[in-house]
Amino acid sequence: MKPASNDGSACHRNGNRHDRPRRPDLTEVERQIAGLASRSTQDLRVAWRQLHRTGPPLGLSRDLMIRALAHQLQEQSYGGMGRALRPRLQSLAGASEKATMGVDPGLVLKAGTTLVRQWRGHTHSVLVHTDGFEHDGQLYRSLTAIAERITEAHWSGPRFFGLTRRVSALAAAKPGR
């Protein structure tokens, strides 16, 4: 893979489109990407090593290797994500991991908590564990799986057990509105 060439022109802040670096010819990038499919797997591994300074991950399929290399070609040609976007995405990923098993991020369920819901005349109890939820003596990874078992239909588990805030309640809680 060859890196994108820069024609040396500087991008000025005055917004003049003629002062910006030229975008590479679209057909050239498309030709390079199309050429990836005809390369041998060994050749793709060499291209991966040149790009990442290490071999491709074990078990990475040929198709995924081609897709990753094609993505890299596009990123080199058209530019990648901006500086501000990368930390924002990492922040969102961290917040997603910290969210407690699909429950409202502001709500933390402690192990030992019991959730109770009546459904069609039956009372259903769920015990919160550190690694999931127990219902009728069976351990589940999510409340959604339990809600689907109870209702025999697709339900959001946190919503079924009343653990999510409604949009109208969120809007009313925001100051200055």
Side-chain angles (χ1 to χ4, degrees):
M1 291 179 37
K2 64 179 188 177
S5 61
N6 188 351
D7 63 1
S9 63
C11 181
H12 299 286
R13 292 194 178 263
N14 64 7
N16 187 344
R17 68 180 176 173
H18 301 293
D19 293 338
R20 295 183 184 144
R22 245 186 54 192
R23 290 181 70 181
D25 186 34
L26 182 64
T27 57
E28 172 63 18
V29 174
E30 288 176 341
R31 186 188 62 71
Q32 288 178 350
I33 291 172
L36 290 173
S38 63
R39 293 170 82 173
S40 70
T41 303
Q42 186 59 33
D43 198 19
L44 292 171
R45 287 187 180 118
V46 169
W48 186 281
R49 280 188 196 93
Q50 289 172 342
L51 182 65
H52 296 287
R53 309 278 192 261
T54 185
L58 292 176
L60 185 68
S61 70
R62 174 182 166 79
D63 180 57
L64 283 178
M65 200 176 335
I66 290 171
R67 289 172 189 255
L69 291 170
H71 175 265
Q72 192 63 35
L73 277 171
Q74 290 173 331
E75 194 172 76
Q76 287 175 347
S77 297
Y78 304 117
M81 68 176 95
R83 278 189 207 158
L85 184 56
R86 186 176 303 273
R88 176 71 177 136
L89 289 174
Q90 288 173 337
S91 166
L92 291 171
S96 175
E97 289 172 6
K98 289 178 186 172
T100 308
M101 297 180 246
V103 178
D104 181 2
L107 180 66
V108 177
L109 295 176
K110 294 182 180 179
T113 302
T114 302
L115 304 172
V116 179
R117 167 71 196 259
Q118 284 210 303
W119 178 257
R120 296 193 174 164
H122 297 284
T123 302
H124 299 275
S125 298
V126 174
L127 180 63
V128 178
H129 290 273
T130 56
D131 59 343
F133 304 93
E134 182 182 340
H135 176 256
D136 285 344
Q138 197 171 7
L139 194 62
Y140 294 86
R141 291 180 60 188
S142 71
L143 287 172
T144 299
I146 297 170
E148 288 178 352
R149 180 169 179 253
I150 292 170
T151 64
E152 298 177 352
H154 181 69
W155 265 82
S156 160
R159 187 167 186 185
F160 179 78
F161 286 98
L163 300 175
T164 59
R165 293 188 226 162
R166 302 241 171 174
V167 175
S168 57
L170 285 173
K174 289 185 180 179
R177 289 201 177 216

